C-alpha cells in the first residue's frame, strides 16, 4: 500500500469568492495556510474578511478566542507564489474558471512545489485531466471542489482522474475531513461532477421559465424555497455564486463544443454585459446595498 501524504501546510491560490474562505476554513481547522493572489487589493479584502469573520465568530460564541487567534496566526497572505507554495503539502487552486490560466498556474506550481505536494483544483466544472499534463506529477493532481460559501457548506467533491494516484485521493479526502468537511469521492471524471450537474438542471429550467415569461425570478425563487425546501432559490444562488462565473462556464463549454445549447441564457448574457454579477458587484437579479 502506498503511503499517505501528511498534510500540514496548505496553499490556496486565488483569494476571490471561494479561495479566501477555503483558506480561512483550513486555518480554523489547524492547518498552516498561505493564501496567494496576484492582486494586492483582493488579498487586502481577504485579510480584512478574516479579521472581521474571526472576531464576529468569537462574539457570537461560535469559536473560542484561542482557536480564532490560532487561525489568525496560522494564515498569511502574499502575492508571491514561490513564497506561498514553496513548502506546501497541498495546494488548492481557486483562480478564475479559465482552462489556460489554470494550466499556467499548475505548470508554475509544479516548478515551485516539493515533489510530494498534491496539486488540487477547486474548479467547478473542469476535470483535472485537462490540467494534469501541464505538470510532471500527474499522479499528484486531482479535483477538490468546495461549495459557496466555503466556510458554511460542508460538502467537498474529490474527483479521481485516470492519472490520479490512490494516495493522492486518500490524502485529499483526509485533508477535507480535517477541515471539517464531508468529502465525497467521484471514482471517475465527469463534466460538472455531482452537484453542479444537478444544479445546472434546476438552473436551466428556472432560466427557461423566466425567459418564457412564465413567472418573475422572485416567484420562481419563492417556488423553489417554499415548494422544495431549498435554502435559496436558483436566482438568489446565481447572485451568490456569481453571474460572471455562470457566464464564463457556459462560454467555455460553448467554445469547446460549438453546440448552441451550451450558450448562456439571454438574461445571463445581459446581466454579464451590464456588470450586474450578483452580490460581488452589489447588483445581480437582486440589489445588495453596500455590497452586502
Ligand atoms: N460567508 C460565511 N458565512 C456565512 C455567509 C457567507 N457569505 N453567509 C452566511 N453565513 C453563515 C452565517 O454566519 C451563519 O452562521 P451561524 O449559523 O453559524 O451563525 C449561517 O451561515 C447562516 O447565515 P444566515 O442566518 O445569515 O443566512 P441563511 O440562514 O439564509 O444562510 C446560506 C445563508 C448559508 C448562504 C444559505 O442560504 C444556504 O445554504 N444557501 C445555499 C447555498 C448553496 O447552495 N451553495 C452551493 C452553491 S453551488 C456551488 O458553490 C458550486 C460552485 O462550483 C459554483
Amino acid at each position: 500500500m502506498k503511503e499517505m501524504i501528511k498534510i500540514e501546510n496548505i496553499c490556496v491560490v486565488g483569494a476571490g469568492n471561494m479561495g479566501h474562505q477555503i483558506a480561512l476554513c483550513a486555518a480554523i481547522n489547524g492547518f498552516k495556510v498561505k493564501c496567494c493572489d496576484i492582486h494586492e487589493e483582493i488579498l487586502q479584502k481577504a485579510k480584512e474578511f478574516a479579521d472581521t469573520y474571526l472576531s464576529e465568530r468569537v462574539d457570537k460564541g461560535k469559536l473560542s478566542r484561542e482557536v480564532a487567534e490560532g487561525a489568525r496566526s496560522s494564515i498569511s497572505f502574499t502575492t508571491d507564489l514561490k513564497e506561498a507554495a514553496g513548502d506546501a503539502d497541498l495546494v488548492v487552486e481557486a483562480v478564475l474558471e479559465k482552462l489556460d490560466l489554470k494550466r499556467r498556474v499548475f505548470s508554475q506550481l509544479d516548478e515551485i512545489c516539493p515533489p510530494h505536494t498534491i496539486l488540487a483544483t477547486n474548479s467547478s466544472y473542469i476535470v483535472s485531466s485537462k490540467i494534469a499534463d501541464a505538470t510532471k506529477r500527474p499522479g499528484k493532481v486531482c479535483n477538490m471542489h468546495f461549495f459557496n460559501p466555503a466556510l458554511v457548506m460542508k460538502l467537498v467533491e474529490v474527483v479521481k482522474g485516470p492519472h490520479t494516484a490512490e494516495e493522492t485521493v486518500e490524502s485529499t479526502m483526509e485533508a477535507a475531513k480535517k477541515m471539517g468537511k464531508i468529502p465525497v469521492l467521484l471514482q471517475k471524471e465527469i463534466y460538472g461532477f455531482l452537484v453542479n450537474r444537478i444544479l445546472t438542471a434546476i438552473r436551466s429550467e428556472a432560466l427557461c421559465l423566466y425567459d418564457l415569461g412564465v413567472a418573475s425570478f422572485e416567484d420562481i425563487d419563492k417556488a423553489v424555497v417554499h415548494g422544495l425546501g431549498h435554502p435559496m432559490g436558483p436566482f438568489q444562488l446565481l447572485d451568490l455564486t456569481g453571474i460572471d462565473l455562470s457566464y464564463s462556464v457556459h462560454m467555455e463549454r460553448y467554445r469547446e463544443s460549438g453546440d448552441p445549447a451550451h450558450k448562456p441564457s439571454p438574461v445571463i448574457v445581459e446581466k454579464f454585459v451590464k456588470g450586474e454579477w450578483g452580490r460581488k458587484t452589489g447588483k445581480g437579479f437582486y440589489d445588495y446595498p453596500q455590497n452586502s
Side-chain angles (χ1 to χ4, degrees), residues 47-66:
K47 216 182 291 181
E48 283 163 14
F49 176 85
D51 290 336
T52 310
Y53 180 84
L54 290 171
S55 74
E56 280 178 5
R57 297 307 276 171
V58 173
D59 293 346
K60 265 186 170 181
K62 301 269 177 166
L63 215 56
S64 72
R65 190 166 299 280
E66 195 189 353

Side-chain angles (χ1 to χ4, degrees), residues 162-213:
H163 51 278
T164 312
E166 201 56 52
E167 68 268 22
T168 299
V169 166
E170 284 171 22
S171 307
T172 306
M173 299 278 288
E174 269 315 301
K177 282 184 204 157
K178 206 182 148 196
M179 284 174 77
K181 300 299 184 196
I182 298 170
V184 291
L185 175 61
L186 277 77
Q187 305 278 1
K188 54 178 164 180
E189 296 188 329
I190 186 162
Y191 179 85
F193 320 130
L194 303 179
V195 173
N196 273 333
R197 289 182 77 87
I198 296 166
L199 180 60
T200 300
I202 294 172
R203 207 170 251 183
S204 302
E205 192 54 40
L207 283 162
C208 172
L209 289 166
Y210 175 74
D211 285 335
L212 287 172

Side-chain angles (χ1 to χ4, degrees), residues 18 21 49 53 57 60 62 122-125 145-149 151-153 195-196 199 203 231-232 237 240-241 245 279:
M18 295 299 291
Q21 291 212 4
F49 176 85
Y53 180 84
R57 297 307 276 171
K60 265 186 170 181
K62 301 269 177 166
N122 176 55
S123 174
S124 299
Y125 291 87
H145 181 217
F146 292 81
F147 293 82
N148 193 338
L151 279 158
V152 180
M153 304 305 284
V195 173
N196 273 333
L199 180 60
R203 207 170 251 183
M232 276 181 164
L237 199 49
L240 177 72
T241 54
L245 175 67
R279 290 190 185 199

Side-chain angles (χ1 to χ4, degrees), residues 40-115:
E40 186 60 60
E41 66 279 11
I42 291 181
L43 279 182
Q44 189 54 37
K45 255 177 103 176
K47 216 182 291 181
E48 283 163 14
F49 176 85
D51 290 336
T52 310
Y53 180 84
L54 290 171
S55 74
E56 280 178 5
R57 297 307 276 171
V58 173
D59 293 346
K60 265 186 170 181
K62 301 269 177 166
L63 215 56
S64 72
R65 190 166 299 280
E66 195 189 353
V67 170
E69 282 170 4
R72 191 60 191 88
S73 63
S74 305
I75 187 167
S76 59
F77 300 86
T78 176
T79 51
D80 183 341
L81 190 61
K82 271 193 189 143
E83 187 194 321
D87 64 352
D89 305 307
L90 166 68
V91 179
V92 181
E93 166 275 311
V95 303
L96 291 177
E97 201 70 352
K98 295 201 171 14
L99 180 58
D100 286 358
L101 173 63
K102 287 186 189 287
R103 287 181 61 86
R104 259 200 322 277
V105 170
F106 269 67
S107 160
Q108 286 172 29
L109 288 168
D110 192 38
E111 297 292 320
I112 294 168
C113 295

